[in-house]
Amino acid sequence: MSITGIRGFNDILPEECAVWRRIEDEAVRVFTAFGFSEIRLPVVEKTELFLRSIGETTDIVEKQMYTFSDRHGESLALRPEGTAPLVRAYIEKRLYAASPATRLFYMGPMFRYERPQKGRYRQFHQIGAEVLGTESPMADAEALKMLETLFVSLGISGVEIEINSLGCPRCRPAYKEELKGFLADKTERLCDNCKGRIGKNPLRALDCKTPGCLTATHGAPAVSDFLCDACGGHFKGLRSALDMLGVAAKVNPRMVRGLDYYTRTTFEVTSGAGTLGAQNAIAAGGRYDGLVEELGGPATPCFGFAIGMERLALLVDRNRVEKRPLVLFLAMGDGAGEKGVEVAARLRDAGLRVVADYAEGSLKSRMKRADRMGAGYVIILGEDEIREGVLTVKDMTTGAQEKIAQDKIPALIKGRSQGAQA
Ligand code: ATP
Ligand code: MG
């Protein structure tokens, strides 16, 4: 019996990789323009890091972490998200010493033990960005603008941004008590999970998607009504900065996020496109003003977000993935194979994407294969061509075929494929 992959862990096949590459390239371009630098972090961290940051009474920590002990009995975890590891590195490598606000982005796999379905996997990928060291709501607004810029550059429209403020350690406790009071006579309706953590973390019930929790929390008091003056002012500042930047965002007073470290601003980006189905959240994030200090660093207010790569990729128009046409170089007859490899190398130097086919077989069968490979052009080098000092170029889309000199080929193919794209 052959060995299969693991449920929820996907192979990203070449066609999909082309889309991913385009997203990653755009993200690097856009984020760099906003002054962010890339950071690459390990996929394994001490379990403790996630317990202390994400929170012990969250779905991620309670149910979704891949933890294991290494050979020395230390508990390690595959990272379920990128912010805690980034903050760990920020403190450990003293990245705060570099500048007042540090802007970093990352991309890579995350791991959560969830029920696999469309848009939800056990290994999934995120692109995330974090601004560390500023409390200004301008930073939140600019990060949202950056996200919107990325979507626009990828040709994605119809996304909706929802924002909320969760308050701070000064004003949230009063809200928590109020919410607990509201839920007190409705606990029977809550799912077992939320029932169990209502004492410590009643906000989780607002984020829970089970029908019981949805009805129990219906009409619950809104955290936004409990904000202290400072938090209320911050949220107002965010909304006017978003207005100024032309970023449309809707206030959703019910939205809390699935991680405990958030303070003040939280947001979620969803897509109305039917392609995503129930898993329609493509990016989410917010402020985590207390996390750096919580993890042993200096008091550092921060804002960050993460985009779900798999879900974003579903929204990218496949036709907009730039691709140079594939040119298949087909050499026929004795000695032509070697000559073909050499000519192919020169065509690549001239900027073409060329595969040299030096397989055996009839012209007909090899042309069929070129078609299956999706070649845009086939260049044929046979005995006639060698004798006449030319090459035959066949345009696989139109079927047109002509004999031309080798040095004219790059211009011909580039000209035609640009014409086709326009
Ligand atoms: P959801 O509500 O869909 O479970 P989440 O609140 O757990 O999302 P975050 O932790 O905020 O998500 O992660 C940010 C983004 O990462 C999500 O908006 C989503 O696009 C993506 N994401 C999260 N979990 C998964 C997963 N298991 N598979 C694929 N993408 C995911
Ligand atoms: Mg989740």
Side-chain angles (χ1 to χ4, degrees):
M1 202 175 69
S2 60
I3 299 170
T4 60
I6 308 165
R7 190 166 131 82
F9 288 69
N10 296 324
D11 302 309
I12 317 299
L13 299 179
E15 209 175 307
E16 194 61 10
C17 284
V19 178
W20 284 40
R21 170 68 59 207
R22 163 126 198 274
I23 295 174
E24 289 166 355
D25 288 352
E26 278 306 326
V28 171
R29 197 180 61 73
V30 172
F31 293 3
T32 308
F34 277 79
F36 285 70
S37 309
E38 185 174 6
I39 185 164
R40 302 191 189 204
L41 298 161
V43 294
V44 181
E45 297 275 355
K46 292 180 181 169
T47 305
E48 173 83 19
L49 173 66
F50 301 111
L51 302 187
R52 274 176 49 191
S53 54
I54 297 171
E56 307 208 14
T57 51
T58 56
D59 278 353
I60 294 181
V61 167
E62 281 182 347
K63 302 188 289 193
Q64 300 177 346
M65 279 228 284
Y66 279 92
T67 41
F68 60 98
S69 356
D70 74 0
R71 287 170 194 274
H72 290 98
E74 180 163 37
S75 179
L76 303 180
L78 298 186
R79 62 177 184 194
E81 56 104 50
T83 301
L86 185 138
V87 168
R88 193 265 310 137
Y90 175 81
I91 298 168
E92 194 177 343
K93 302 293 151 57
R94 299 177 161 270
L95 300 177
Y96 50 84
S99 70
T102 305
R103 293 177 163 82
L104 297 168
F105 73 88
Y106 59 85
M107 0 189 150
M110 305 295 159
F111 306 85
R112 295 184 195 172
Y113 194 84
E114 306 199 64
R115 193 172 68 77
Q117 53 197 290
K118 189 180 176 194
R120 193 175 293 287
Y121 310 102
R122 290 179 174 173
Q123 174 174 331
F124 62 101
H125 297 74
Q126 288 184 335
I127 300 180
E130 322 275 351
V131 195
L132 307 101
T134 170
E135 194 182 18
S136 171
M138 294 292 171
D140 314 25
E142 266 207 302
L144 283 167
K145 178 73 186 173
M146 177 166 93
L147 197 53
E148 191 196 64
T149 308
L150 174 63
F151 292 153
V152 170
S153 77
L154 290 168
I156 295 170
S157 56
V159 299
E160 189 169 286
I161 304 176
E162 290 189 331
I163 54 170
N164 194 20
S165 176
L166 296 183
C168 67
R170 277 188 308 278
C171 50
R172 205 186 309 167
Y175 172 67
K176 244 175 153 175
E177 285 313 308
E178 187 75 15
L179 184 61
K180 246 191 252 177
F182 174 84
L183 292 172
D185 59 353
K186 303 176 186 67
T187 41
E188 278 320 303
R189 280 193 252 160
L190 298 178
C191 72
D192 288 346
N193 240 308
C194 289
K195 215 180 284 168
R197 56 198 181 190
I198 185 153
K200 277 191 184 163
N201 204 344
L203 269 74
R204 290 274 62 83
L206 292 173
D207 192 43
C208 188
K209 310 286 189 289
T210 58
C213 291
L214 282 173
T215 55
T217 57
H218 186 78
V223 59
S224 45
D225 292 333
F226 286 77
L227 299 182
C228 61
D229 287 351
C231 289
H234 193 276
F235 197 42
K236 209 169 148 218
L238 167 67
R239 292 191 319 260
S240 64
L242 288 173
D243 272 352
M244 188 184 70
L245 290 168
V247 178
K250 207 172 92 187
V251 176
N252 174 358
R254 254 195 82 100
M255 185 182 53
V256 301
R257 308 278 319 132
L259 305 93
D260 280 353
Y261 53 61
Y262 285 121
T263 50
R264 294 191 167 171
T265 314
T266 53
F267 79 94
E268 190 164 82
V269 183
T270 51
S271 161
T275 32
L276 291 188
Q279 268 54 251
N280 66 346
I282 44 181
R287 271 206 165 265
Y288 46 98
D289 291 343
L291 183 59
V292 177
E293 207 173 4
E294 184 78 18
L295 292 176
T300 310
C302 307
F303 181 91
F305 65 76
I307 308 169
M309 190 71 173
E310 284 80 358
R311 297 182 197 177
L312 185 64
L314 287 172
L315 300 175
V316 174
D317 183 353
R318 307 279 133 157
N319 296 321
R320 287 178 60 120
V321 176
E322 279 168 29
K323 249 201 246 159
R324 288 181 291 170
L326 179 67
V327 177
L328 196 76
F329 197 102
L330 227 153
M332 308 282 299
D334 282 350
E338 249 169 63
K339 173 96 176 118
V341 170
E342 185 208 318
V343 179
R346 273 198 247 123
L347 291 174
R348 271 180 220 121
D349 288 344
L352 296 184
R353 188 162 75 99
V354 189
V355 170
D357 173 9
Y358 31 78
E360 309 275 303
S362 69
L363 181 60
K364 198 172 155 201
S365 67
R366 291 169 73 182
M367 286 302 278
K368 250 193 202 153
R369 204 165 46 223
D371 208 34
R372 270 205 306 275
M373 279 174 72
Y377 296 86
V378 175
I379 300 178
I380 301 162
L381 175 65
E383 282 159 20
D384 288 354
E385 283 85 1
I386 293 181
R387 205 173 40 246
E388 295 166 35
V390 291
L391 293 166
T392 296
V393 178
K394 178 165 182 174
D395 182 331
M396 298 295 279
T397 323
T398 62
Q401 180 167 318
E402 61 188 294
K403 280 186 178 166
I404 68 169
Q406 184 189 316
D407 58 358
K408 301 236 163 57
I409 292 178
L412 172 86
I413 292 182
K414 284 184 202 166
R416 283 215 188 155
S417 41
Q418 260 154 26
Q421 266 167 28

